[in-house]
Amino acid sequence: MRLSKTSEYALRILSFMAKEPEQKYSAKSLVETLKISDKYLRRLMTDLSKAGFIKSTRGREGGYSFAKKINNIVLADIIDSVEGMDKYMGCVLGFDKCSDENPCAMHSTWIHVREKFTETFEHKTLADFNYSEIHKF
Amino acid sequence: MRLSKTSEYALRILSFMAKEPEQKYSAKSLVETLKISDKYLRRLMTDLSKAGFIKSTRGREGGYSFAKKINNIVLADIIDSVEGMDKYMGCVLGFDKCSDENPCAMHSTWIHVREKFTETFEHKTLADFNYSEIHKF
DNA sequence: ATTAAATACCACTTGTATATAGTATATTAC
DNA sequence: GTAATATACTATATACAAGTGGTATTTAAT
């Protein structure tokens, strides 16, 4: 029940931006606010841009803003864009060929847990959250 | 939705042993069957012994066997013994101080997913699985 | 007692995700 | 043109999980 730092960061960035979805954010300001290292954040921003969630404006007064409506940005797609959801879809015992047809001992138990996760992440969009709270580090 | 290799291995070992819970298993045989590296498995066996799930018999004809009934061995306790369940209990956005009282934007969504996991792992024991299937690597 | 089979322990190496540094270049406001 | 902001690329450093090596110790068959 843990995402990688990479996915954590991607969600942290976009959920922060979603609080004021029309605004433009410089990489610098995001780095300072979200406590993510500069270069790493910039790399993620490139991934998120390529995936079409945000667009970048170069030059003075440049920055990042959403390229599409936040109610069309699904969490699973965010994770896919930075590292891939399949990373989180494996067998709980680590078996290569574990499936409904060829299950490991814990398969039927595990898929319920995993499905709760995938279902949530495939249905929730950035518009489904409560951004009134202040994030504290 | 992924456990570390360490937890994966611990569950893989004990679920394999649970298929024939009265038997004694040598480290060697477990290594060969379960495709876990020798030294790593032995280290995990030590952890699992210290936690009281299994007992070891040294010397010729030695090996490992369960130290308690498998219906008293809870999955969450297994993970605790090798690395700690708290590793899987963090905030989805990686915030240090995220709680019901001081939640991040995704908190209320995430705890449902996380609770499905913890509930399952805190209630299921090694006796709750179907060991008829053959594990394939 | 000897020997073989096993576990236990300490230190070290490897691998991978994460993080940083540096350089070059493009774009835009002023 | 200058400054501020962005992308792109390459190389390297760090941290931690995973895996290995070597030796000590325990036990039981013989």
Side-chain angles (χ1 to χ4, degrees):
Chain A
M1 301 315 318
R2 237 196 122 210
L3 302 181
S4 67
K5 290 260 179 210
T6 301
S7 285
E8 237 176 61
Y9 291 164
L11 295 180
R12 201 191 290 174
I13 293 163
L14 293 183
S15 66
F16 177 75
M17 289 175 63
K19 198 171 174 179
E20 294 283 348
E22 300 304 326
Q23 212 174 303
K24 191 164 64 184
Y25 300 85
S26 71
K28 198 179 173 191
S29 74
L30 292 172
V31 161
E32 283 166 4
T33 313
L34 300 176
K35 311 280 184 248
I36 301 172
S37 76
D38 187 75
K39 289 294 167 70
Y40 210 73
L41 178 132
R42 286 170 195 275
R43 204 157 79 194
L44 291 177
M45 296 313 266
T46 305
D47 288 341
L48 295 172
S49 298
K50 281 179 181 161
F53 304 129
I54 56 178
K55 54 175 182 269
S56 65
T57 333
R58 287 183 164 198
R60 228 184 136 124
E61 306 289 301
Y64 301 94
S65 57
F66 281 108
K68 53 199 285 193
K69 291 284 171 201
I70 64 170
N71 60 5
N72 287 323
I73 301 180
V74 175
L75 299 195
D77 293 341
I78 298 173
I79 293 180
D80 262 327
S81 75
V82 293
E83 62 174 356
M85 273 294 279
D86 49 316
K87 200 172 152 180
Y88 299 103
M89 300 298 290
C91 167
V92 66
L93 297 182
F95 288 81
D96 281 345
K97 325 184 190 281
C98 178
S99 62
D100 291 349
E101 293 74 36
N102 186 16
C104 75
M106 296 188 184
H107 185 74
S108 62
T109 300
W110 180 245
I111 55 173
H112 289 121
V113 177
R114 202 174 63 190
E115 263 172 21
K116 179 77 183 172
F117 167 72
T118 52
E119 228 170 74
T120 303
F121 273 58
E122 277 164 10
H123 285 89
K124 291 280 181 182
T125 74
L126 285 179
D128 297 328
F129 299 103
N130 167 22
Y131 296 113
S132 63
E133 295 292 339
I134 297 161
H135 302 167
K136 290 177 190 164
F137 287 93
Chain B
M1 301 316 317
R2 238 195 121 210
L3 302 180
S4 66
K5 291 259 179 208
T6 301
S7 286
E8 236 176 62
Y9 290 165
L11 294 180
R12 199 191 292 175
I13 294 163
L14 293 183
S15 67
F16 176 77
M17 290 175 63
K19 198 171 173 179
E20 293 285 345
E22 301 303 327
Q23 211 175 305
K24 191 164 64 182
Y25 299 85
S26 71
K28 198 179 172 192
S29 73
L30 292 173
V31 161
E32 283 166 5
T33 312
L34 300 175
K35 312 285 185 241
I36 302 171
S37 78
D38 187 76
K39 289 294 166 69
Y40 210 72
L41 178 132
R42 285 168 195 277
R43 202 158 80 196
L44 291 177
M45 296 313 268
T46 306
D47 288 341
L48 296 172
S49 297
K50 281 180 180 161
F53 304 128
I54 55 178
K55 54 176 183 268
S56 63
T57 335
R58 287 185 164 199
R60 236 180 130 125
E61 306 289 300
Y64 300 96
S65 56
F66 280 109
K68 53 198 286 192
K69 291 284 172 204
I70 63 170
N71 61 5
N72 287 324
I73 301 181
V74 174
L75 299 194
D77 292 341
I78 297 173
I79 292 180
D80 262 328
S81 75
V82 292
E83 62 174 356
M85 273 292 280
D86 48 316
K87 201 173 150 179
Y88 298 102
M89 301 298 290
C91 167
V92 66
L93 298 183
F95 288 81
D96 281 347
K97 325 187 189 279
C98 178
S99 62
D100 291 348
E101 294 74 36
N102 187 16
C104 75
M106 297 187 183
H107 185 74
S108 62
T109 300
W110 180 245
I111 55 173
H112 289 121
V113 177
R114 201 173 64 191
E115 262 171 21
K116 180 75 184 175
F117 167 74
T118 53
E119 228 169 72
T120 303
F121 273 58
E122 277 165 10
H123 286 88
K124 291 279 181 181
T125 74
L126 284 179
D128 295 328
F129 299 103
N130 168 22
Y131 296 113
S132 63
E133 295 293 338
I134 296 161
H135 301 168
K136 290 178 190 162
F137 287 94

